[in-house]
Amino acid sequence: VLVAVLLALLPLAAGTLCCVAFMKFFYKVKFNELGMTEKSSLLPFTRPKLPDRDALQRSVANLFSESKLETATPHPNSFGGALAAETGSPDRRTVLIATMEYEIEDWDIKIKIGGLGVMASLMAKNLAHQDLIWVVPCIGDVDYPIDRVAQPMEVVVMGQVYRIEVQYHTLRNITFVLLDAPVFRKQTKAEPYPPRMDDLDSAVYYSAWNSCIAEAFKRFTIDLYHINDYHGTIAPLHLLPRTIPVCLSLHNAEFQGLWPIRTMEEFEEICQIYNLDEDYVRDYVQFGQVFNLLHAGASYLRKHQKGFGAVGVSKKYGKRSFARYPIFWGLSNVGSLPNPDPTDTGDWDKNLVSKEVVIDSAMEEERGELREAAQKWAGLNIDRSAELFVFVGRWSNQKGIDLIADVFFSILEQHPKTQLICVGPVIDLYGKFAAVKLAKMMEQYPGRVFSKPEFTALPPCIFGGAEFSLIPSRDEPFGLVAVEFGRKGALGVGARVGGLGNMPGWWYTIESPATKHLLNQFKGAIHTALATKLETRAMMRARSRLQRFPVVQWVEELEKLQSKSISLHKRVEAGRGRSTHRQSRSQADSPSISTAPGSTRFSSAHSTAPNTELNSPTNSRPPSRIRSPSMAQSPSIDATTTDSKGRMSLGRLFGPSNPRSSSQGRSRSSSRTRFGKRRMTPTGTRDGVVNNRVSIVHEGIEDLGIHAQNSAQIHPVPHEGLSIDEEDSSGSDAANGSFPPRFPPLPPLNFEFPPDVSGASTPTAGHRRTPRDASSLGLNSVVGDRKSFKLQKVHPLFTDSTETYYRAFQEKLASINSKTAEDQLCIEEYLVKSEKAWFTRFHYAQMGNSAAASKSATPASSVFRMPWGRASQDLDRAPNETSGSGTSEFLLGDDYEPPTGIKKFLQKKIGDWYLYTFLLAFGQIIAANSYQITLLTGENGQSAHKLYIVASIYLASSVIWWTLFRLFKQVYILSTPFVFYGLAFFLVGMGPYTSNLASRGWIYNVATALYAAASASGSLFFALNFGTEGGTPAQSWAFRACVIQGSQQIFVAALWYWGSTLTASSNAGLSSSAHVTSRPTITAITTPIAVFLWALALLLLLGLPDYYRQHPGKIPSFYKSLFRRKIVLWFFVVVVLQNYWLSAPYGRNWRYLWSSQHAPTWSIILLILVFFVVVWAVALAVLGHLSKQHSWIIPIFSIGLGCPRWSQILWAISGIATYIPHGSPGLGAVLGRALWCWLAVLDAIQGVGFGIILMQTLTRFHVVFTLLFAQVVGSVATIASRATAPNAKGPGAVFPNFGVLEGEGLQGWEFWVCLLCQVVVPVGFLVFFRKSQLFKP
């Protein structure tokens, strides 16, 4: 009885305790009083001690060492030499940088929207010891003076040659290479990046950008290319097979540059757009079924620098990027190069002598005056003692502006002295909805809240007068705002992610992406900050002013990074017998120009031709790959629902500056579109394209409307001889790409530069000529009137372009209060539900049901559990009134053909499940175990010989399924198993018609083999189901997994009941020929089942959505990267431990359920229904509800359960459960089986939890291989168990009977070894799971 009680209660108690402990340790606000020298403690309430001087020295000295940069091989351009190198010295390093955010000081041009812009300005001012070649695009709303016009660059897009105008400008040690073309002029200062990263517009943009960078490689002699984020990662591929040293700084790895390559047509089209060889794309760029720019950079480092050279901009961000993004798993690690504070330009003492912290009373007194000035500026109540919170930054989901708008209703209500200032530009829907909510907050709390959702120049009093700086970022690579505010006295209150948390402040951890979790954590940090004594805050401010993020240290660590990158690159390429792109000065086409300040050093600097060595036929591939664009009509886009988060391969489809909230798209200013303010007269250049043989003239073509909300018209090209006055040009939209030449026109017969351009040299005779009638690159010149490009068939993204949901939300704010602000009117929850409703309409539109798509224009009234009122009726008509068509916002196009027949039928929805998902779930259920089919034949056990054969078939089938998965479309892989299942059942039905038992036995053996082969595909059904939904919340996965797992338990129990019934008949003396399996009755049972399974195979083959009809993608270095994941290796260890010790007694364990002579069958069936239906449903409801706020709850709870399967087997086969001294024998038997069913439920929950662990730490592609390889490993362990395990033929000493042996059973080593092997299973998952999650910032 004691054992039964322990087995029943201990796992549940342990699981609950594990969850409570997880929240206790990781949900607490980290109170950082000291700054970045603080050593965190495991105990949240333990106050950290001040480190001594030596510890401080080691802390800073080791900041960079963890990324292994300190082991850089000495290089001629090492830190000391590079810093000491004089201008013009041959040891000066020349580095090429290419960014869309930049600053040209002497022209007063500054393009900056984020951290990369800050670092671009810092690099321009603090890398004077290097020669910088800086490639930048000219944007539409900036006037550029004319400096030295260079020969235009040629780029090839879709097999056509286009022209990019170029000029050089020298400032100190920097040579700016300015690129000008309509494709670049579409962008503005506010939006320097294309709005999307998956369409034709952005593909053409980044193709031209990378081609121009590659051309700059050839024009200049450089030592290293420093890549910033994904934008320029393709450029080095244009040099292949020649290579160049590179570094890759990750300022925001969430943006990766993604384009789908689901079919060969898409693959070929993207290769043509980027003018890349298909083999190079497969080897470097392709990641699964995605063309991934950032992955190209990681692949380049992996192939040519032993995986070294990628760094994050903060110590933590590099580590988290390596853990979160699968594209980096092929590298050994991602190091760190922490950004400095641009204002911290003083000397840096490496020894870091600790200074005594003293509160500056005068400065504290001055803060009162600054606060009054800030309050006066914002129109707030003047009160020096007010608790002033300030948020300054972009109003976006990433920055967490919506969380501020949600929680501050209650903060202002509970703390009357609190005030709030929020300033910054609106970037996305989160910012847009936060703006209207903060405006309502200003109305309710006049004099206490100031909100200004736009770019604003802030006075210094805002920084010095604020008491707290709000930084609730969901992800923050560095977090410069915390440093800026902290050093001026405003203490940080925010999330401990990325680079945040180093400054004194109150920092909460993010353990779940759920909104409720973020709100609770954020509110806890605010309350803790407000409760902190004023004296403590003053000391924290004093420490904040002493925090150092010195530029000098960053420069030194940058030198180490660059030096080792160059050294490793030379070593790798020398080992391959290759030379690098850089050539010596003596080998250059022309002598170098002096690199004195104010001049430029380059080899053949004004030439568009590559260097001589690169032009040699033996050492280079053709400079461009000319291919004719495919004119085949694009098939319809997938009639499926895309990722509602807009994600793809763990990246984003939006550009970093894209305002998703804009209902009308990007409005373009009407500024001039050329360098300077000169009147320009077009030359004889036509707006045509050249393909060596064909010239196509486009006159008066308008730009294609790729997105209804993001389209911009192209004005007709002026005819020859027409002049464009400044007044006329000012009215044309710069972003529209109108094309009067932006540079002085080139002479028609030669390439000599205009005489007024000083410093320009004449190209050498061997240079290629830009065709005089080549078009300047713009989207209209590439696309023309064609609408057959695959990249034009992109899925729309939820932007609420009709403002349907925005206006409904705005009306509901009339009744807002502190409670509803975080519940019914929580911004993220509203947007998620609105987005779900919108995608439901999108699904209807894809299915051809335009009426339903228009009808479901607003979220259901249950979204907020509040009446919609008049707005609901008005908004139902909003789509038609606003956009002219209920479905035009979905961008399906006039040539879109909705699915029909079976494909349309399988995409109907029951609740949140598509019909096809039920079929795939069924495929997972019947693949429960390769052994199940033998139960139908009456065989209630397997000989060792047969087990070896079945396990070997299962092993071989797992390998075959993986091979097929890599070679063929998923639709074939998911439909074929049902053919084998059907054959297995059909053969079982043919058994009675054999002439003898031996023949019948062989038929059953073949059926078993077929079933085993088919059941090996079960992992595919688990990993690939719900594929059309993209990113799915954790609670949805939990619910679905629990439903499928519970159904599988009932299915297995039914099979074992059938087997036990046949066994009981045999034991009762019934001859084998009298069994139902030996009579034609079995044929009547199994044949319809076989036909049904074959029908399912046909349904899946014909009806699965297009998502499952994509060509399998390639992931370079897949196996190597996967086996670097600790969670994967541990999963394989778990499979070995569980299969070796627990597979042998599997059959005996299930036989216990139906083997009682005292418990009637109906009671067992009732137990199964109670536990596998009722108890399971309760567990599903509770865990599913908790998962809405805590995405980790099921994995951590399952880890805490310990080893319920071991407990269940111990109870069933050891003999402990044979007799329970409680009432009648029948009651004891029922209680024993009730405990068995309870343990089975706990084991199933643990199985679901382990499955969710894989889904939260790996991509689908990785999960498929992990599960299939685990089946291979498990098969080997099962064979080894049957051959060598101590419990191979019975419980033995592994599962002793405590009731008979008492304490003697605990003396055997077998029991303890088995128990230890099962206990370490959850411990390993607990160690590796938390930091391996893909969503965790």
Side-chain angles (χ1 to χ4, degrees), residues 226-238:
H226 197 127
I227 307 172
N228 292 279
D229 287 337
Y230 68 90
H231 317 108
T233 54
I234 295 293
L237 304 188
H238 288 285

Side-chain angles (χ1 to χ4, degrees), residues 812-976:
K812 283 185 162 300
L813 290 177
S815 59
I816 193 172
N817 55 49
S818 59
K819 182 178 180 181
T820 58
E822 301 174 25
D823 187 12
Q824 293 98 330
L825 294 176
C826 170
I827 292 175
E828 183 170 43
E829 291 190 357
Y830 180 92
L831 285 176
V832 168
K833 293 172 182 176
S834 299
E835 189 173 12
K836 183 177 179 181
W838 186 87
F839 271 98
T840 298
R841 295 176 54 217
F842 178 44
H843 174 70
Y844 287 138
Q846 286 182 307
M847 295 297 102
N849 191 347
S850 58
S854 301
K855 212 178 277 186
S856 307
T858 61
S861 59
S862 61
V863 168
F864 300 127
R865 300 183 297 279
M866 297 167 61
W868 283 86
R870 181 180 54 82
S872 177
Q873 301 173 2
D874 295 341
L875 294 178
D876 279 337
R877 298 190 298 270
N880 290 333
E881 294 172 1
T882 306
S883 59
S885 172
T887 60
S888 63
E889 60 183 304
F890 303 121
L891 311 179
L892 295 179
D894 297 334
D895 59 343
Y896 173 72
E897 296 182 4
T900 57
I902 296 177
K903 183 179 289 188
K904 182 177 182 179
F905 173 74
L906 288 187
Q907 292 182 70
K908 291 183 179 295
K909 299 182 76 172
I910 299 178
D912 288 336
W913 293 49
Y914 295 97
L915 286 181
Y916 81 86
T917 63
F918 287 96
L919 303 185
L920 298 186
F922 180 69
Q924 181 184 342
I925 291 171
I926 63 174
N929 192 284
S930 61
Y931 175 65
Q932 306 306 329
I933 192 69
T934 62
L935 298 173
L936 293 176
T937 66
E939 184 179 352
N940 207 355
Q942 280 182 317
S943 64
H945 179 71
K946 179 172 288 189
L947 183 141
Y948 297 152
I949 295 175
V950 172
S952 298
I953 293 173
Y954 193 72
L955 184 156
S957 300
S958 300
V959 175
I960 293 172
W961 285 122
W962 170 250
T963 304
L964 295 176
F965 173 75
R966 296 298 297 116
L967 297 176
F968 301 100
K969 298 177 181 179
Q970 295 176 14
V971 63
Y972 303 125
I973 312 304
L974 295 174
S975 57
T976 303

Side-chain angles (χ1 to χ4, degrees), residues 247-508:
C247 296
L248 174 61
S249 291
L250 303 175
H251 300 269
N252 195 338
E254 185 71 15
F255 300 99
Q256 299 178 9
L258 312 171
W259 287 266
I261 45 177
R262 298 159 295 194
T263 63
M264 283 305 299
E265 291 80 7
E266 288 180 339
F267 181 83
E268 292 174 357
E269 182 175 283
I270 200 70
C271 291
Q272 292 174 15
I273 291 174
Y274 276 90
N275 191 37
L276 289 173
D277 186 273
E278 293 181 359
D279 290 335
Y280 290 154
V281 172
R282 292 189 182 94
D283 292 342
Y284 290 87
V285 191
Q286 183 176 8
F287 190 82
Q289 293 159 332
V290 177
F291 184 93
N292 189 309
L293 291 187
L294 191 57
H295 180 244
S299 298
Y300 198 86
L301 295 175
R302 173 175 52 82
K303 284 177 171 288
H304 304 294
Q305 292 178 196
K306 295 185 177 180
F308 178 85
V311 292
V313 294
S314 66
K315 185 177 180 181
K316 185 178 179 182
Y317 191 69
K319 295 179 180 178
R320 288 308 305 154
S321 295
F322 182 70
R324 292 180 65 189
Y325 303 111
I327 59 173
F328 298 124
W329 293 351
L331 306 179
S332 55
N333 77 324
V334 174
S336 62
L337 180 63
N339 282 351
D341 177 2
T343 64
D344 190 356
T345 56
D347 295 335
W348 173 54
D349 184 359
K350 296 182 181 180
N351 295 323
L352 194 64
V353 178
S354 179
K355 296 181 180 180
E356 183 180 355
V357 179
V358 178
I359 298 176
D360 190 331
S361 301
M363 188 170 291
E364 287 294 318
E365 182 64 26
E366 183 185 1
R367 283 178 48 78
E369 299 176 2
L370 293 173
R371 183 162 304 169
E372 289 183 357
Q375 292 166 339
K376 185 177 181 180
W377 177 85
L380 303 180
N381 299 330
I382 306 301
D383 182 4
R384 287 195 175 193
S385 63
E387 305 281 18
L388 180 58
F389 288 83
V390 173
F391 171 84
V392 176
R394 299 193 302 275
W395 290 26
S396 64
N397 168 271
Q398 179 188 354
K399 299 299 181 181
I401 181 63
D402 59 301
L403 303 178
I404 296 175
D406 288 342
V407 305
F408 258 84
F409 280 93
S410 64
I411 297 296
L412 292 167
E413 181 179 287
Q414 297 174 27
H415 301 277
K417 302 286 288 184
T418 300
Q419 294 180 342
L420 174 66
I421 295 177
C422 292
V423 179
V426 171
I427 298 297
D428 59 14
L429 282 178
Y430 285 77
K432 183 177 181 178
F433 278 64
V436 69
K437 196 169 183 178
L438 287 170
K440 185 65 177 179
M441 191 184 297
M442 289 180 65
E443 294 180 13
Q444 288 196 5
Y445 299 95
R448 298 180 62 190
V449 179
F450 174 75
S451 170
K452 192 173 184 181
E454 60 186 57
F455 278 111
T456 305
L458 298 176
C461 61
I462 300 296
F463 296 86
E467 185 74 10
F468 304 105
S469 170
L470 295 172
I471 321 173
S473 301
R474 290 178 170 88
D475 192 15
E476 192 65 66
F478 175 61
L480 180 61
V481 65
V483 178
E484 292 176 334
F485 273 93
R487 294 187 66 177
K488 295 176 183 178
L491 300 173
V493 180
R496 193 167 176 259
V497 296
L500 296 178
N502 290 326
M503 294 293 290
W506 298 264
W507 309 99
Y508 62 87

Side-chain angles (χ1 to χ4, degrees), residues 648-664:
M648 191 174 183
S649 186
L650 301 175
R652 293 196 180 187
L653 302 182
F654 289 106
S657 64
N658 175 46
R660 292 179 62 184
S661 59
S662 173
S663 62
Q664 301 300 326

Side-chain angles (χ1 to χ4, degrees), residues 618-660:
T618 58
N619 294 328
S620 175
R621 68 184 179 93
S624 61
R625 177 172 158 273
I626 308 296
R627 302 183 62 174
S628 300
S630 172
M631 300 299 294
Q633 182 69 21
S634 301
S636 300
I637 61 175
D638 295 358
T640 59
T641 302
T642 59
D643 181 356
S644 62
K645 292 292 184 185
R647 294 195 173 195
M648 191 174 183
S649 186
L650 301 175
R652 293 196 180 187
L653 302 182
F654 289 106
S657 64
N658 175 46
R660 292 179 62 184

Side-chain angles (χ1 to χ4, degrees), residues 96 327 371 451 599 603 606 761 888 974 988 1116 1143 1192 1201 1207:
L96 189 143
I327 59 173
R371 183 162 304 169
S451 170
S599 66
S603 176
H606 298 292
S761 62
S888 63
L974 295 174
V988 169
S1143 63
W1192 50 265
L1201 289 176
S1207 302

Side-chain angles (χ1 to χ4, degrees), residues 78 387 600 723 725 938 1008 1170 1257 1312:
S78 63
E387 305 281 18
T600 309
S723 63
D725 293 330
T1008 302
V1170 169
T1257 57
W1312 294 107

